[in-house]
Amino acid sequence: MFKTIADPADCEVRSVIRFSNANNVKQAEIHRQLVLICGENGMTDGMVRKWIRQFNDRRTNVHDEARSGRPSVVNDGLVAKVNEKIRENRPFTIRMLCDEFPQISKTVLHENVTNRLNYRKR
């Protein structure tokens, strides 16, 4: 019996797919082996096929490619300005800060005040 891997990294699974595909192992057999080792949550049959297609199209990298996303408006300088405003007016509310910093959403402002600046509600 095989040992199971509870939570394999995606690149590890893709490496197994690439190696097995290079050894001419059939797609169904690769998926069956992955299910034995990683369980049902490892990778779907369709995803195994997708990766085999990509490796057959000469892809060699098993890691995720960089994706473009929405750039964050919050940087260290802006967090310092928020901290300065809080120190000016200690009994502050998030709504008051939203009026001062309209470019930051209320949720993001709350997360930064609590997580980065470590202020707590009293």
Side-chain angles (χ1 to χ4, degrees):
M1 189 73 188
F2 298 108
K3 285 186 179 179
T4 60
I5 301 173
D7 192 20
D10 291 340
C11 61
E12 292 175 320
V13 175
R14 293 174 195 153
S15 296
V16 169
I17 293 171
R18 184 172 180 222
F19 179 80
S20 299
N21 186 48
N23 283 329
N24 293 321
V25 178
K26 298 213 180 285
Q27 174 269 321
E29 181 60 22
I30 294 172
H31 181 256
R32 189 187 68 72
Q33 289 175 4
L34 286 174
V35 169
L36 281 175
I37 300 297
C38 304
E40 289 295 325
N41 299 330
M43 189 177 279
T44 64
D45 186 48
M47 287 303 289
V48 171
R49 280 189 224 155
K50 174 189 163 200
W51 281 103
I52 289 174
R53 266 194 316 274
Q54 288 185 15
F55 291 134
N56 287 340
D57 290 340
R58 307 222 173 166
R59 178 178 175 145
T60 57
N61 189 0
V62 294
H63 299 283
D64 288 327
E65 293 174 349
R67 295 186 238 173
S68 63
R70 185 176 181 179
S72 177
V73 230
V74 181
N75 56 30
D76 291 335
L78 197 54
V79 171
K81 287 179 185 176
V82 169
N83 192 26
E84 189 178 306
K85 280 291 180 190
I86 291 171
R87 290 182 181 272
E88 285 175 11
N89 183 14
R90 288 302 263 188
F92 71 94
T93 63
I94 297 295
R95 175 144 334 267
M96 289 167 54
L97 290 174
C98 283
D99 293 340
E100 294 288 330
F101 301 97
Q103 70 271 31
I104 307 175
S105 73
K106 186 177 178 182
T107 306
V108 171
L109 196 54
H110 182 269
E111 286 175 4
N112 279 284
V113 167
T114 57
N115 296 338
R116 286 179 82 174
L117 296 174
N118 295 320
Y119 286 107
R120 297 286 178 247
K121 187 176 179 180
R122 286 204 161 172

